[in-house]
Amino acid sequence: MGEAGREEYKIQSFDAETQQLLKTALKDPGAVDLEKVANVIVDHSLQDRVFSKEAGRMCYAIIQVGGLAEDRELLCKRHFEWAEASQQDRDAKGREKSRTGGTASAPPPPPHYPLPGSQAESKQAGQSVFRRGLLNRLQQEYQTREQLRARSLQGWVCYVTFICNIFDYLRVNNMPMMALVNPVYDCLFRLAQPDSLNEEEEVDCLVLQLHRVGEQLEKMNGQRMDELFVLIRDGFLLPTGLGSLAQLLLLEIIEFRAAGWKTTPAAHNYYYSEVSD
């Protein structure tokens, strides 16, 4: 990546010291504290939706500029641990719902699984520290997502935007990170709940992220995508007091998926003229 490419990142809202930290990380990752860099990127992504939209690109660039191949053993372990925790979360909700015959309350967050050490990690310490810090922070925020939403709707929307952005950019063997598939789905399912569909900001986030990563997610787990769109259709069809813009956005994403994750010229003209009006 050239100097001009690095200047494209929207980091003007950072203070001068942090801007310099990020610029150095993009040029020479080994020269800075990459755990601090990971925390700065996550913290700012939870506050600034514009930055959260491109943070994945920045993280990808930092890893690539390091010139180091990914530690696949380490990533596979992390994939298994987080995917297992996400599955435990859904299984617990299902068991509680079966017992109560109604909506399950949120189970305790799954235990935190620290990344194991390895000789490969020692050899690639800088990159591993950055990747570990990034994934650990994503997991921590994922485990407390309901509290985050209750505390700050904007922070919650920023988190969903950020994790989808990371899912979109970071790859293992040129494939999306399996560790993030179910957590991303869980976030989108939360956005498709009735109370979220009454929040225009959450509906907008749901539709934008499905435009961004919906096709990739469906390839990784088509059954969950089918289940998600059942919720979306129910939200669109049932009289839940949705605003006109929310209804329009939901109808657009339903038709977007039905058309093979593509927007036809007629649909583009219809929906975007309606939004502009």
Side-chain angles (χ1 to χ4, degrees), residues 149-213:
R149 181 179 182 273
R151 184 172 65 250
S152 169
L153 195 63
Q154 177 182 328
W156 157 241
V157 167
C158 284
Y159 174 74
V160 178
T161 302
F162 180 52
I163 194 173
C164 289
N165 198 273
I166 293 294
F167 174 78
D168 190 29
Y169 273 98
L170 299 193
R171 291 286 189 269
V172 179
N173 295 332
N174 205 32
M175 293 289 289
M177 293 178 66
M178 285 299 299
L180 297 180
V181 172
N182 281 323
V184 168
Y185 262 124
D186 291 342
C187 291
L188 297 180
F189 268 75
R190 183 63 186 87
L191 291 174
Q193 298 302 314
D195 58 335
S196 291
L197 293 179
N198 282 313
E199 297 287 346
E200 196 169 284
E201 191 174 2
E202 289 184 281
V203 175
D204 184 58
C205 180
L206 172 64
V207 171
L208 284 175
Q209 301 319 313
L210 282 170
H211 270 278
R212 185 184 190 103
V213 299

Side-chain angles (χ1 to χ4, degrees), residues 34-35 37-39 41-42 56 59 63 70-83 85 111-116 121 127-143 159 162-172 176-181 183-184:
L34 287 174
E35 184 172 9
V37 172
N39 282 320
I41 290 174
V42 175
C59 292
I63 290 174
E70 292 180 347
D71 179 351
R72 290 183 176 83
E73 177 187 2
L74 186 65
L75 281 172
C76 287
K77 287 179 180 178
R78 173 53 113 193
H79 289 179
F80 173 77
E81 289 161 355
W82 199 355
H112 175 64
Y113 296 95
L115 282 169
E121 184 178 2
Q127 187 191 35
S128 295
V129 165
F130 179 73
R131 195 170 54 236
R132 181 177 63 235
L134 182 65
L135 293 178
N136 278 348
R137 281 297 308 276
L138 280 171
Q139 187 177 10
Q140 288 167 13
E141 299 298 336
Y142 167 79
Q143 291 173 345
Y159 174 74
F162 180 52
I163 194 173
C164 289
N165 198 273
I166 293 294
F167 174 78
D168 190 29
Y169 273 98
L170 299 193
R171 291 286 189 269
V172 179
M177 293 178 66
M178 285 299 299
L180 297 180
V181 172
V184 168

Side-chain angles (χ1 to χ4, degrees), residues 80-147:
F80 173 77
E81 289 161 355
W82 199 355
E84 182 180 50
S86 180
Q87 184 62 51
Q88 289 172 351
D89 188 0
R90 293 193 304 280
D91 289 346
K93 288 181 179 179
R95 287 194 297 272
E96 184 171 349
K97 188 171 182 179
S98 296
R99 287 198 307 271
T100 61
T103 302
S105 58
H112 175 64
Y113 296 95
L115 282 169
S118 67
Q119 289 184 347
E121 184 178 2
S122 297
K123 292 177 182 178
Q124 301 179 0
Q127 187 191 35
S128 295
V129 165
F130 179 73
R131 195 170 54 236
R132 181 177 63 235
L134 182 65
L135 293 178
N136 278 348
R137 281 297 308 276
L138 280 171
Q139 187 177 10
Q140 288 167 13
E141 299 298 336
Y142 167 79
Q143 291 173 345
T144 59
R145 58 195 181 279
E146 283 296 335
Q147 294 94 313

